[in-house]
């Protein structure tokens, strides 16, 4: 039996690495334009926007006059990172670094999956989920932020200070990683996150002018055409709504009557979601080894689904957190994770493949958005319900996971 298991294991590992390699080769062929992916060019953000920011940032200041700069100060680091590969042009260097970040996530998930109480399901979620989103993954810096978030969650239970430092750094890259702390029970994680984020903020504020100009730009955003709230205007356009669809603050948004109302409702829904997370934290009685990852997954799902903007690259965050959840044998987030993967596939259909249909609000575009956003809503509700059951309302259901946690601690001690 031992021999049979040993014979099967290398094949499974080789299948995982081989699938990752083949799918990532295809993504590289698309971003390097050896083959053209259908729809608008997703690489223009790198070759035009990111490279433009790079030219400003490398002179020691933030792009103060560019309202599309809507990121915390440490976002300057991934934008400047292609300088590490001076033998390549900016865009090609960026794609290669995004590819390496993808590989780091695979390595972290694979290493975690081989430990006691863990499983390789998480690594497979990453391997399958990323290519479902198409070449957009390598044409945005979100995969780099996701690598930091995955490392933070995997460090969580055993190294709370390391987790906190990574969360603080991640929050200074793109804010959302702060939600990884929602399930953290050790004060050391929160303290390390606060110290790291504060230190980075002070450093950038002293070293580079305009480190926090992004706060004003972000506040003024409207309702992006792919968000949950945008469905109101997609349908309204079929009945005479006289607003416009324009490139605004770096994304395609609705502008016109009642847009401010829908944007406000989205902010209220986000506040309600954060309130639910606070209520859960106050009521939670059982914190198992996978609770930290499950809670982070739920928190980011809620933030993403209720946001005024649901850009395709946001799905990379969810795939990364979903993968960490399923690294844990005791996690029961399988169904929400499958729903998120389905939403990823619909996402690549609505952007970039048929984005013109989304912008024109025709039947195909609206159907795709209802499907994708509907899947996100379903995944959010399922994941939140499962988290509540696991930690509050089903004591008996937690016993197998508690046993697995005990076994893991004994094995590692």
């Amino acid at each position: 039996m031992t021999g049979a298991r040993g014979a099967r294991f290398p094949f499974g590992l080789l299948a995982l690495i081989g699938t990752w390699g083949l799918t990532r080769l295809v993504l590289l062929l698309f971003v390097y334009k050896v083959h053209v992916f259908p729809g608008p060019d997703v690489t223009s953000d790198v070759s035009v926007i990111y490279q433009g920011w790079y030219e400003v940032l490398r002179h020691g200041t933030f792009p103060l006059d560019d309202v599309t700069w809507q990121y915390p100060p440490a976002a300057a680091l991934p934008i400047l990172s292609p300088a590490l590969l001076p033998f390549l042009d900016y865009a090609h260097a960026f794609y290669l670094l995004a590819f390496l970040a993808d590989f780091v996530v695979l390595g972290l998930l694979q290493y975690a999956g081989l430990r006691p109480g863990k499983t390789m399901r998480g690594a497979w979620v990453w391997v399958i989920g990323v290519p479902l989103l198409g070449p957009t993954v390598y044409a945005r810096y979100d995969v780099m932020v996701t690598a930091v978030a995955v490392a933070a969650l995997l460090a969580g239970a055993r190294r709370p200070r390391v987790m906190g430092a990574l969360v603080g750094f991640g929050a200074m890259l793109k804010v959302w990683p702060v939600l990884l702390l929602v399930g953290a029970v050790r004060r050391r994680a929160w303290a390390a996150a606060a110290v790291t984020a504060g230190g980075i903020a002070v450093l950038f504020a002293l070293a580079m002018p305009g480190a926090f100009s992004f706060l004003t730009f972000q506040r003024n955003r409207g309702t992006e055409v792919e968000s949950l709230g945008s469905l109101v205007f997609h349908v309204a356009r079929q009945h005479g709504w006289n607003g416009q669809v324009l490139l605004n603050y770096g994304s395609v948004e609705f502008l016109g009557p009642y847009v401010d109302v829908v944007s406000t409702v989205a902010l209220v829904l986000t506040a309600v979601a954060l309130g639910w997370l606070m209520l859960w934290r106050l009521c939670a009685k059982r914190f198992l080894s996978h609770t930290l990852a499950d809670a982070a997954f739920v928190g980011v799902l809620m933030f993403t689904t209720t946001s005024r903007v649901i850009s395709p690259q946001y799905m990379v965050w969810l795939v990364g957190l979903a993968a960490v959840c399923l690294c844990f044998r005791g996690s029961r987030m399988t169904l929400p994770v499958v729903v998120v993967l389905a939403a990823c596939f619909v996402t690549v259909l609505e952007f970039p493949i048929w984005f013109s249909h989304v912008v024109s609000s025709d039947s195909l575009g609206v159907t795709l958005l209802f499907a994708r956003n509907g899947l996100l809503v379903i995944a959010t509700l399922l994941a939140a319900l499962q988290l509540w059951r696991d930690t509050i309302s089903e004591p008996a259901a937690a016993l197998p996971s508690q046993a697995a946690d005990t076994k893991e601690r004994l094995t590692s001690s």
Side-chain angles (χ1 to χ4, degrees), residues 6 30-31 51 57 75 181 193 226 239 280 284 315 360 384 390 394 404:
F30 283 131
V31 292
Q51 190 164 0
L57 290 166
L181 291 171
E226 296 165 277
H239 298 85
W280 166 79
M315 302 299 294
S360 63
D390 282 350
E394 289 186 4

Side-chain angles (χ1 to χ4, degrees), residues 71-72 75 141-142 145 169-177 313-314 317:
Y71 308 106
Y141 82 88
D142 296 81
V145 184
F169 177 55
M172 287 291 99
L173 286 171
K174 208 165 186 180
V175 181
W176 68 265
Q313 60 266 28
Y314 290 14
W317 317 344

Side-chain angles (χ1 to χ4, degrees), residues 11-289:
F11 174 78
L13 189 59
L14 287 173
L16 179 75
I17 296 173
T19 304
W20 180 87
L22 287 173
T23 54
R24 275 38 177 197
L25 175 60
V26 172
L27 292 182
L28 287 173
L29 291 175
F30 283 131
V31 292
Y32 284 117
K33 298 185 179 177
V34 177
H35 296 287
V36 177
F37 199 78
D41 181 11
V42 301
T43 66
S44 61
D45 273 30
V46 176
S47 59
V48 178
I49 299 176
Y50 285 11
Q51 190 164 0
W53 291 339
Y54 170 84
E55 295 299 332
V56 176
L57 290 166
R58 71 190 185 95
H59 289 101
T61 185
F62 285 91
L64 303 178
D65 298 324
D66 188 349
V67 296
T68 63
W69 176 263
Q70 299 174 17
Y71 308 106
L77 300 178
I79 301 302
L80 291 169
S81 63
L84 297 171
L85 304 174
F87 50 88
L88 294 174
D89 67 37
Y90 182 89
H92 288 179
F94 185 91
Y95 305 144
L96 183 57
L97 291 170
F99 167 81
L100 291 176
D102 180 0
F103 182 71
V104 167
V105 175
L106 175 69
L108 290 170
L109 294 169
Q110 179 182 310
Y111 175 78
L114 296 175
R115 295 181 62 84
K118 305 294 198 307
T119 164
M120 296 297 288
R121 293 183 305 164
W124 275 108
V125 168
W126 181 254
V127 168
I128 294 169
V130 167
L132 288 177
L133 292 167
T136 304
V137 176
Y138 286 176
R140 306 290 187 273
Y141 82 88
D142 296 81
V143 66
M144 302 174 186
V145 184
T146 302
V148 175
V150 168
L153 280 180
L154 291 176
R158 297 177 181 278
R159 297 178 178 85
R161 287 192 180 94
V162 173
M163 176 194 172
L166 288 170
V167 167
F169 177 55
M172 287 291 99
L173 286 171
K174 208 165 186 180
V175 181
W176 68 265
V178 74
L179 292 169
L180 306 187
L181 291 171
V182 70
V185 295
R186 299 189 183 182
R187 294 181 181 178
R188 285 174 290 176
W190 287 83
V195 169
T196 303
I200 292 173
V202 169
L203 180 63
F204 274 101
L206 293 175
M208 297 177 68
F212 295 95
S213 60
F214 78 97
L215 294 172
T216 300
F217 299 155
Q218 186 65 243
R219 184 179 65 242
N220 293 333
R221 295 195 74 161
T223 295
E224 190 254 350
V225 295
E226 296 165 277
S227 65
L228 184 63
S230 74
L231 292 171
V232 173
F233 301 109
H234 283 294
V235 173
R237 289 179 82 185
Q238 312 302 321
H239 298 85
W241 181 73
N242 61 353
Q244 295 177 294
V245 178
L246 296 173
L247 184 63
N248 189 52
Y249 287 94
S251 63
V252 181
E253 298 181 355
F254 282 113
L255 300 175
Y258 307 109
V259 171
D260 57 337
V261 175
V262 171
S263 296
T264 301
V265 170
L267 291 173
V268 170
L269 288 176
T270 299
V272 170
L274 292 175
W276 185 94
L277 289 170
M278 293 177 62
L279 176 64
W280 166 79
R281 183 58 192 264
L282 290 172
C283 296
K285 303 172 184 177
R286 295 180 298 278
F287 288 85
L288 307 176
S289 62

Side-chain angles (χ1 to χ4, degrees), residues 320-337:
L321 301 186
V324 177
C325 288
L326 293 199
C327 273
F328 293 89
R329 197 174 301 277
S331 177
R332 296 196 294 174
M333 289 291 172
T334 303
L335 182 55
V337 168

